[in-house]
Amino acid sequence: MHQDHCALGLAPLSTVARNSVSSALDIAQAKPVQPVTLVRPHAAARAARFFVEKFPGRSMYAVKANPSPELIQILWDNGITHFDVASIAEVRLVARTLPDATLCFMHPVKAEEAIAEAYFTHGVRVFSLDSLEELEKIMRATRNASDLTLCVRLRVSSEHSKLSLASKFGVPAQDAKPLLFAARQAADALGICFHVGSQAMTPEAYAEAMERVRAAIVDAAVTVDVIDVGGGFPSSYPDMAPPPLERYFETIHRAFESLPISYSAELWAEPGRALCAEYSSVVVRVEKRRGNELYINDGAYGALFDAAHIGWRFPVTLLREPQSTVRDHPFSFYGPTCDDLDHMAGPFLLPADITAGDYIEIGMLGAYGSAMRTAFNGFGSDETVIVEDEPMVSLYAEVEREAASNVVKL
Ligand SMILES: *Cc1c(COP(=O)(O)O)cnc(C)c1O
């Protein structure tokens, strides 16, 4: 379990160094004893602009992917005005950071007290649900409010995604009709939402989910005002290079246009990972080498939960100057705690001459990395530094370069 102080990543702002340095290599050359989180505001800003400009509907940021107030502010500054929150602490965090933002409470199982506080104190009007019990709870907590947008979460398949979200939430098709009907009676606006699972590797995932939406609408014969396609938009990792995001957007747009819904219905999405994966990385030190195993100073209880528990492979680079010319070799990592589980199988490809005292940058930790750090066993560090170099991988840098060269051509 993650400790309170870090479960929401609510690190004090003061831990972010205000003097920005240019690159990951600069950090390594300062020889930090603790792991250092690097943040790249320009990468998050670019991702936000991409979704704002290209997604054919409204993009709201799923805060759980990375609840850093600085990141939330960057997304807002670049056009993201709506935020998908899932707990009362996330509601309070975004309300405090961005008083003018619109919050949507998209966890289908909420505490009644959380609903009441969200509605009466923070002005939240959008709620998701996947059962009649939750609908009753929302109506009770809001004293039968008449200004609600209620989004019924449908169960859809996660088969195209690297991380399933299919078993816990979502009303099964056979139970959707009475729930849609009851929500329609209670709601000012009725939505249907789903989540295809995180890191969906093909746009087909959304096409198939939209077919389930169609069947549910036809079966229940209700008027639907919002279609929310959830998260799942991928980022790029070793051996997990997805098709261009524009293909996802085209597939979703086509499916949306063909649904039996009113002309004025809105299309929403809740990207988490895709908006923040490139935002941060971590610089770690190799404390020991044992054959093909590197003992590093961050791990499963730090920013590398996914690397340890679901075998996620993150990109890595050796930060050494002059650069090693030795060929790459597959390594696994041990984290710093005394726990055998603190092991990241990888394989992580690094120059074969890597040794204790070397520094490694582990990339793409902006989503579900930084957010999950703990201080278990006395390890981990809040030290965060802004850098201006490019993330190790980017889905957006190329798009930005192309756009710039088109301007020149004109
Ligand atoms: C986690 C989550 C998201 C974000 O998912 P990504 O795969 O990171 O895009 C969006 N909506 C809901 C309801 C979620 O639980």
Side-chain angles (χ1 to χ4, degrees):
M1 283 293 93
H2 303 121
Q3 282 89 348
D4 281 355
H5 63 273
C6 49
L8 261 177
L10 304 179
L13 295 177
S14 58
T15 58
V16 175
R18 289 294 160 206
N19 51 331
S20 80
V21 292
S22 55
S23 74
L25 189 60
D26 295 337
I27 302 296
Q29 286 178 339
K31 300 203 173 300
V33 176
Q34 300 283 343
V36 179
T37 299
L38 310 187
V39 295
R40 294 182 170 86
H42 71 283
R46 187 164 63 194
R49 288 194 300 270
F50 184 92
F51 268 84
V52 168
E53 285 162 21
K54 297 188 190 257
F55 182 74
R58 168 174 295 149
S59 301
M60 49 185 179
Y61 173 55
V63 172
K64 81 163 185 283
N66 186 332
S68 133
E70 294 88 355
L71 170 63
I72 288 167
Q73 183 71 51
I74 293 163
L75 297 177
W76 170 267
D77 292 343
N78 287 277
I80 301 286
T81 55
H82 288 56
F83 292 80
D84 160 7
V85 284
S87 61
I88 196 62
E90 288 183 358
V91 171
R92 292 175 191 150
L93 165 76
V94 182
R96 183 167 71 232
T97 311
L98 302 171
D100 295 328
T102 303
L103 306 185
C104 303
F105 208 151
M106 303 307 279
H107 193 307
V109 184
K110 295 168 285 299
E112 201 159 321
E113 296 83 352
I115 300 168
E117 182 183 329
Y119 182 84
F120 290 107
T121 308
H122 303 290
V124 177
R125 293 295 178 266
V126 183
F127 296 88
S128 83
L129 61 142
D130 65 0
S131 67
L132 285 166
E133 291 80 356
E134 186 74 9
L135 176 59
E136 282 160 20
K137 207 197 281 174
I138 293 169
M139 297 321 291
R140 235 181 1 250
T142 62
R143 298 196 210 114
N144 292 310
S146 59
D147 57 355
L148 299 176
T149 295
L150 296 179
C151 294
V152 171
R153 170 102 168 239
L154 284 190
R155 177 169 301 184
V156 300
S157 160
S158 274
E159 66 174 311
H160 299 297
S161 302
K162 294 292 177 183
L163 254 173
S164 173
L165 287 164
S167 28
K168 192 167 178 181
F169 300 133
V171 61
Q174 66 272 19
D175 301 332
K177 182 174 177 172
L179 184 56
L180 282 167
F181 207 77
R184 177 72 274 176
Q185 305 291 310
D188 177 38
L190 176 65
I192 294 184
C193 60
F194 58 79
H195 198 302
V196 298
S198 204
Q199 186 74 4
M201 293 305 291
T202 161
E204 269 312 294
Y206 295 89
E208 290 169 17
M210 289 291 240
E211 279 313 304
R212 301 227 189 156
V213 171
R214 172 196 306 284
I217 296 173
V218 169
D219 188 39
V222 288
T223 307
V224 174
D225 309 296
V226 173
I227 300 292
D228 176 355
V229 300
F233 298 94
S235 295
S236 192
Y237 301 89
D239 297 334
M240 282 194 269
L245 286 174
E246 284 99 329
R247 294 231 340 253
Y248 291 73
F249 296 173
E250 284 156 19
T251 300
I252 290 167
H253 184 64
R254 216 176 309 121
F256 175 71
E257 290 287 307
S258 76
L259 287 178
I261 47 178
S262 80
Y263 187 70
S264 59
E266 293 183 21
L267 175 64
W268 299 358
E270 305 164 357
R273 180 187 302 282
L275 285 177
C276 61
E278 298 177 15
Y279 175 61
S280 95
S281 63
V282 65
V283 171
V284 299
R285 185 164 73 178
V286 179
E287 303 293 11
K288 169 185 170 172
R289 174 172 175 174
R290 184 177 78 180
N292 301 333
E293 298 162 328
L294 302 178
Y295 292 64
I296 60 176
N297 60 354
D298 199 29
Y301 298 91
L304 297 172
F305 183 97
D306 282 347
H309 295 282
I310 53 174
W312 208 273
R313 291 183 57 210
F314 293 94
V316 291
T317 340
L318 174 60
L319 299 171
R320 193 201 283 167
E321 213 165 55
Q323 278 183 10
S324 172
T325 53
V326 177
R327 66 182 157 58
D328 280 348
H329 184 85
F331 290 94
S332 65
F333 295 157
Y334 273 113
T337 70
C338 305
D339 185 340
D340 258 9
L341 278 177
D342 198 356
H343 176 249
M344 283 73 49
F348 301 99
L349 298 180
L350 287 158
D353 65 346
I354 192 166
T355 177
D358 273 325
Y359 286 86
I360 302 169
E361 181 179 14
I362 306 175
M364 307 296 281
L365 289 171
Y368 308 112
S370 315
M372 309 213 328
R373 287 178 296 155
T374 78
F376 176 54
N377 216 175
F379 294 100
S381 142
D382 280 341
E383 194 182 348
T384 301
V385 180
I386 297 169
V387 289
E388 286 157 2
D389 56 350
E390 281 297 322
M392 292 167 65
V393 192
S394 178
L395 294 180
Y396 308 105
E398 188 56 33
V399 176
E400 192 178 60
R401 269 195 298 277
E402 275 167 23
S405 72
N406 285 342
V407 171
V408 173
K409 271 180 229 147
L410 291 173

